[in-house]
């Protein structure tokens, strides 16, 4: 038989797809074979192994697809070409271990899936898992809807098996039990103006006090039972009296009591409940554009901006959208800018007001 020195190996698309995950082995055998007959024998063995593996995968996946369709009625047409047979088998085994009833969505490349799980307190959470085509050599990532502070990451990037990743997610969920208990109590027993549909990561609540008056709370996810950040919005005549009560009673805050109950005790009030309140009666219009909620940015899933910036002058106390205030100040020739901060005059009382261009935070 003739030597393969200087020879070139070509094949059709079907054979290439079948043996794609074995290309390095085929190239190695092509270089090492002494003649064409020896290489053809090696190629046949590799091809037969690939066909057997493909048949096993196809059967296994067919069973999974059939059982999932019975449960949910939907299952994507999976593209297995971007994963090696070994990777595919491992992934299927781990998805089996998770349980297909827990998988709420999956893409056709098996690279993105959403898993629903309960924490130790029976709260349901959805976790988005990103699985690279090079998995398990490269780590999968899990994205969680959890409150994070500066320097923290809502992702799990430590790798390991998918079940082990979910166990770590569950442990992390459990650390926020008191935080979620605190915000759930607020949602259930007060009239919340903002946000409309709070995610599990949201740490703020804007609560109705009375007509044209509300209070915005910022709950520390790591100290949810401690004294939270409190900001009153609305008429100085009403909010000023509440601020005095808060300052007078702040030392009476109890760490063993939920924030909502603490606030009612310290402010000597009872929050209006959602079922007895029309939120439209408590919405403060922006004093520049005279609207409450702006249109959300194109493609954004979040609700539009609402007026949460108040003039610091107690005699004024006008509310503004951040973006409206920034635009107004930029149009005034006397407004000055230092780095990301605008220094100007309130559109109504003409007292000094500053706003950070990046976040719109009044100072």
């Amino acid at each position: 038989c003739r030597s393969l020195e200087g020879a070139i190996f070509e094949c059709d698309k079907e054979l290439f797809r079948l043996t794609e995950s074995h290309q390095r082995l085929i190239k190695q055998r092509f270089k090492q074979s002494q003649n064409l007959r020896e290489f053809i024998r090696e190629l046949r063995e590799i091809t037969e192994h690939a066909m057997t593996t493909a048949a096993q995968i196809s059967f296994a996946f067919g069973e999974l697809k059939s059982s999932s369709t019975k449960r949910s009625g939907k299952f994507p047409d999976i593209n297995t070409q971007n994963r090696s047979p070994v990777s595919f088998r491992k992934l299927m085994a781990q998805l089996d271990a998770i349980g297909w009833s827990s998988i709420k969505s999956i893409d056709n490349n098996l690279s993105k899936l959403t898993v629903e799980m309960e924490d130790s307190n029976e709260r349901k959470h959805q976790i988005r898992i990103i699985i690279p085509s090079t998995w398990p050599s490269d780590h999968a990532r899990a994205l969680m809807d959890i409150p994070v502070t500066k320097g923290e990451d809502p992702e799990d990037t430590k790798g390991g098996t998918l079940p082990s990743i979910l166990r770590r997610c569950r442990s992390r969920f459990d650390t926020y039990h008191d935080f979620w208990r605190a915000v759930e109590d607020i949602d259930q027993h007060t009239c919340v103006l903002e946000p409309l549909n709070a995610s599990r990561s949201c740490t703020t609540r804007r609560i109705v006090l009375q007509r044209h008056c509300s209070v915005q709370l910022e709950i520390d996810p790591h100290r949810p039972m401690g004294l939270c950040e409190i900001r009153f919005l609305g008429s100085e005549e009403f909010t000023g009296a509440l601020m005095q009560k808060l300052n007078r009673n702040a030392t009476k805050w109890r760490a063993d009591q939920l924030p909502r109950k603490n606030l009612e005790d310290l402010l000597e009030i009872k929050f209006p409940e959602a079922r007895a309140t029309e939120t439209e009666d408590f919405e403060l219009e922006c004093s520049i554009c005279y609207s409450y909620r702006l249109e959300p940015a194109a493609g954004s899933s979040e609700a539009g901006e609402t007026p949460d910036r108040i003039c610091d002058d107690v005699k004024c106390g006008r509310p503004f959208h951040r973006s409206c205030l920034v635009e107004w100040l930029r149009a005034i020739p006397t407004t000055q800018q230092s780095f990301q901060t605008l220094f100007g005059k309130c559109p109504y009382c003409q007292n000094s007001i500053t706003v950070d261009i990046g976040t719109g935070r009044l100072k």
Side-chain angles (χ1 to χ4, degrees), residues 308-363:
D308 61 350
R309 312 308 184 202
I310 307 294
C311 175
D312 288 332
D313 190 315
V314 295
K315 296 180 180 180
C316 178
R318 298 274 183 164
F320 305 100
H321 294 119
R322 176 202 63 82
S323 55
C324 291
L325 186 58
V326 169
E327 186 177 351
W328 177 280
L329 293 179
R330 278 178 167 166
I332 305 299
T334 56
T335 297
Q336 296 182 353
Q337 180 173 345
S338 176
F339 299 100
Q340 294 296 306
T341 302
L342 294 178
F343 297 80
K345 302 292 184 182
C346 171
Y348 281 83
C349 69
Q350 295 301 301
N351 284 312
S352 297
I353 195 171
T354 64
V355 60
D356 186 271
I357 298 173
T359 64
R361 185 179 62 254
L362 287 182
K363 299 181 179 180

Side-chain angles (χ1 to χ4, degrees), residues 133-181:
S133 59
T134 51
W135 179 89
S137 298
D138 292 322
H139 293 169
R141 296 183 296 125
L143 287 73
M144 294 166 280
D145 185 15
I146 55 176
V148 293
T149 54
K150 188 176 181 180
E152 294 182 317
D153 194 343
E155 294 187 15
D156 182 298
T157 58
K158 296 179 181 178
T161 65
L162 300 186
S164 69
I165 290 174
L166 292 178
R167 285 194 294 272
R168 288 199 301 270
C169 290
R170 181 172 183 172
S171 295
R172 197 164 179 187
F173 290 145
D174 289 343
T175 65
Y176 295 105
H177 168 61
D178 284 342
F179 167 76
W180 284 320
R181 189 162 67 95

Side-chain angles (χ1 to χ4, degrees), residues 35 44-45 50 58 104 136 146 182 206 258 293-294 310 354:
N35 50 54
R44 184 178 64 186
E45 291 179 0
S58 178
K104 299 305 175 183
I146 55 176
R206 183 176 160 212
L258 290 166
R293 188 182 301 279
L294 296 179
I310 307 294
T354 64

Side-chain angles (χ1 to χ4, degrees), residues 140-303:
R141 296 183 296 125
L143 287 73
M144 294 166 280
D145 185 15
I146 55 176
V148 293
T149 54
K150 188 176 181 180
E152 294 182 317
D153 194 343
E155 294 187 15
D156 182 298
T157 58
K158 296 179 181 178
T161 65
L162 300 186
S164 69
I165 290 174
L166 292 178
R167 285 194 294 272
R168 288 199 301 270
C169 290
R170 181 172 183 172
S171 295
R172 197 164 179 187
F173 290 145
D174 289 343
T175 65
Y176 295 105
H177 168 61
D178 284 342
F179 167 76
W180 284 320
R181 189 162 67 95
V183 294
E184 286 166 0
D185 175 73
I186 292 172
D187 293 340
Q188 292 169 9
H189 297 99
T190 71
C191 179
V192 177
L193 289 174
E194 301 290 339
L196 293 178
N197 297 296
S199 65
R200 295 231 184 253
S201 60
C202 184
T203 59
T204 62
R205 293 294 189 274
R206 183 176 160 212
I207 305 170
V208 164
L209 293 174
Q210 67 171 29
R211 185 174 177 81
H212 300 314
C213 291
S214 60
V215 60
Q216 183 162 303
L217 309 179
E218 179 73 31
I219 310 292
D220 185 342
H222 299 298
R223 295 183 62 254
M225 299 302 175
L227 182 60
C228 56
E229 269 187 47
I230 302 168
R231 184 180 182 191
F232 295 105
L233 306 172
S235 167
E236 170 61 21
E237 180 181 356
F238 181 71
T239 61
L242 290 178
M243 182 60 74
Q244 289 179 3
K245 290 181 180 179
L246 179 64
N247 291 335
R248 184 173 64 248
N249 298 325
T251 57
K252 299 179 181 178
W253 187 281
R254 292 174 49 184
D256 62 341
Q257 192 166 256
L258 290 166
R260 188 260 315 169
K261 186 64 171 66
N262 267 312
L263 282 169
E264 289 183 334
D265 291 347
L266 268 58
L267 299 177
E268 301 170 3
I269 62 170
K270 178 70 175 177
F271 287 118
E273 294 194 14
R275 60 177 177 270
T277 308
E278 293 294 334
T279 58
E280 291 81 0
D281 293 339
F282 299 90
E283 294 174 349
L284 292 171
E285 294 180 347
C286 171
S287 296
I288 294 176
C289 72
Y290 301 106
S291 64
Y292 175 67
R293 188 182 301 279
L294 296 179
E295 291 293 323
S300 174
S301 59
E302 297 182 358

